[in-house]
Amino acid sequence: MATYDLTVNGRAVKVTGESDTPLLWAVREQLGLTGTKYGCGAGLCGACTVHVDGVAVRSCQTSAASAAGKKVTTIEGLGANGLHALQKAWIAEETAQCGYCQSGQIMKAAELLARTPKPNREQIVEHMDGNLCRCGSYPRIVRAIERASREG
């Protein structure tokens, strides 16, 4: 086992594991940040989405070793001073049903708004493609992203 130095939500941390230990398990099990969810384990659903150096990645398919020395942001660290504009919009739009995929949805949407602060509907749909919601909350997800881009 090796030890890896990461910065998670602005805090320097050490995690241990084999070279192929998924970042998801380091974040959830070693750091206790359980907002990032295990969905499919194959990088297909997006429930485990976090940011590594500002890029949305599937943490079930990203090794903790590959995140060493990089800045990792989880849903818990997204809002620097309270709730992020997306989290506020998610609440206002009553977006979540079961809520399981929502942290991954928000993290993917945050990547979009960081790059394109005022995306149009087509850009939102295209960017969010691949993040799955078993409850079918897609129209509310789009509305929440639109609201966050307006109110951000």
Side-chain angles (χ1 to χ4, degrees), residues 45-82:
C45 75
C48 67
T49 302
V50 300
H51 293 176
V52 175
D53 286 343
V55 176
V57 301
R58 308 294 170 96
S59 65
C60 72
Q61 297 294 298
T62 302
S63 69
S66 71
K70 297 179 180 173
K71 294 178 184 175
V72 177
T73 304
T74 68
I75 191 71
E76 292 91 347
L78 186 60
N81 299 312

Side-chain angles (χ1 to χ4, degrees), residues 3-98:
T3 300
Y4 305 102
D5 294 315
L6 291 79
T7 301
V8 178
N9 299 332
R11 194 182 83 191
V13 298
K14 292 183 183 298
V15 297
T16 59
E18 302 297 330
S19 62
D20 61 349
T21 297
L23 180 59
L24 171 65
W25 299 125
V27 166
R28 287 184 58 84
E29 294 177 356
Q30 294 182 45
L31 303 178
L33 300 171
T34 57
T36 303
K37 304 299 184 200
Y38 173 82
C40 65
L44 302 172
C45 75
C48 67
T49 302
V50 300
H51 293 176
V52 175
D53 286 343
V55 176
V57 301
R58 308 294 170 96
S59 65
C60 72
Q61 297 294 298
T62 302
S63 69
S66 71
K70 297 179 180 173
K71 294 178 184 175
V72 177
T73 304
T74 68
I75 191 71
E76 292 91 347
L78 186 60
N81 299 312
L83 293 179
H84 185 277
L86 281 162
Q87 292 166 313
K88 291 176 186 175
W90 242 250
I91 293 165
E93 292 293 333
E94 299 178 353
T95 302
Q97 282 187 34
C98 82

Side-chain angles (χ1 to χ4, degrees), residues 9-10 20 22 27 31 40 56 85 103 109 116 123 134 140 143 147:
N9 299 332
D20 61 349
V27 166
L31 303 178
C40 65
S103 61
T116 310
Q123 290 170 311
R134 291 183 178 124
R140 289 193 304 263
R143 281 196 310 269
R147 177 185 283 246

Side-chain angles (χ1 to χ4, degrees), residues 125-141:
V125 170
E126 182 178 323
H127 186 81
M128 298 303 293
D129 186 41
N131 273 61
L132 304 179
C133 175
R134 291 183 178 124
C135 299
S137 296
Y138 301 113
R140 289 193 304 263
I141 290 168

